[in-house]
Amino acid sequence: MKHIAILASGTGTNAENIIRYFSNDKKAKVTLVLSNKPQAMVLERAAALGVDAFFFDRDQFYNTGEVLMMLRRRETDLVVLAGFLWLVPVELIHAFRGRIINIHPALLPQFGGKGMYGEKVHRAVLESGCTESGITIHYVNEYYDAGDIIFQARCPVLPGDDADTLAQRVHALEYEHFPKVISQLISNL
Ligand code: GRF
């Protein structure tokens, strides 16, 4: 059985979707959810589904190595960032090289980088006049949204879209594809 850990900062609908997807899986399950926000809804969602869920602070992430220790103690095979907003420290990236992935709600390399998250991404896509958006699942490296791309899926940007309607369409793609891509990666570990 492979162990998946999820890092998330917010609502955690992707985290919940991934937990549910693997709850009856024979080869992998989500064993740990960590958040840098003490009030993040993702912690409640995970706990309600019986997954251990903990808050960590900046010091535990960047200085003391406690987050890395927790991941190791759980024998984590794959680290999944699902709406996680901090840059990942280099020690963690080295420890999980090729085993740490992120999802971004647009078609990278466009509309990524520091500060490009949530609604801001969708607003930038709308302002650009692009007729397409989508999702990008990629490996995590030392820079925001810059690791090798694993998978992309596309959706149209429709006339009359606002950030909300576009976000909903992109979220639907995330729910459909993210667990499957994780499952595929797990098979290759
Ligand atoms: C998703 O759109 C994801 O692509 C981005 O942050 C959002 C998280 O949403 N990185 P949720 O917390 O899973 O609902």
Side-chain angles (χ1 to χ4, degrees), residues 13 58 81 93 120 132 157 172:
T13 61
R58 197 165 268 283
L81 311 189
I93 290 165
K120 289 183 194 171
E132 248 188 355
V157 176

Side-chain angles (χ1 to χ4, degrees), residues 98-120:
R99 295 185 298 132
I100 174 163
I101 65 171
N102 178 45
I103 190 161
H104 187 77
L107 296 171
L108 293 175
Q110 287 198 85
F111 310 113
K114 189 169 166 55
M116 281 299 256
Y117 60 88
E119 206 183 294
K120 289 183 194 171

Side-chain angles (χ1 to χ4, degrees), residues 8 10-15 81-85 102-105 117-118 122 135 170-171 174-175:
T11 319
T13 61
N14 275 284
L81 311 189
F84 181 67
L85 300 182
N102 178 45
I103 190 161
H104 187 77
Y117 60 88
H122 304 301
I135 60 168
V170 169
H171 256 122
E174 296 183 332
Y175 302 149

Side-chain angles (χ1 to χ4, degrees), residues 98-150:
R99 295 185 298 132
I100 174 163
I101 65 171
N102 178 45
I103 190 161
H104 187 77
L107 296 171
L108 293 175
Q110 287 198 85
F111 310 113
K114 189 169 166 55
M116 281 299 256
Y117 60 88
E119 206 183 294
K120 289 183 194 171
V121 177
H122 304 301
R123 262 195 260 122
V125 171
L126 290 168
E127 277 161 24
S128 76
C130 277
T131 55
E132 248 188 355
S133 191
I135 60 168
T136 303
I137 298 167
H138 64 92
Y139 289 108
V140 172
N141 68 11
E142 292 84 343
Y143 309 98
Y144 283 106
D145 303 324
D148 289 347
I149 291 174
I150 302 164

Side-chain angles (χ1 to χ4, degrees), residues 6 19 30-34 43 46-47 49-54 70 74:
I6 298 176
I19 292 168
V30 178
T31 47
L32 184 63
V33 170
L34 298 174
L43 293 174
L49 292 167
V51 177
D52 286 347
F54 304 107
M70 284 179 89
R74 301 284 169 135

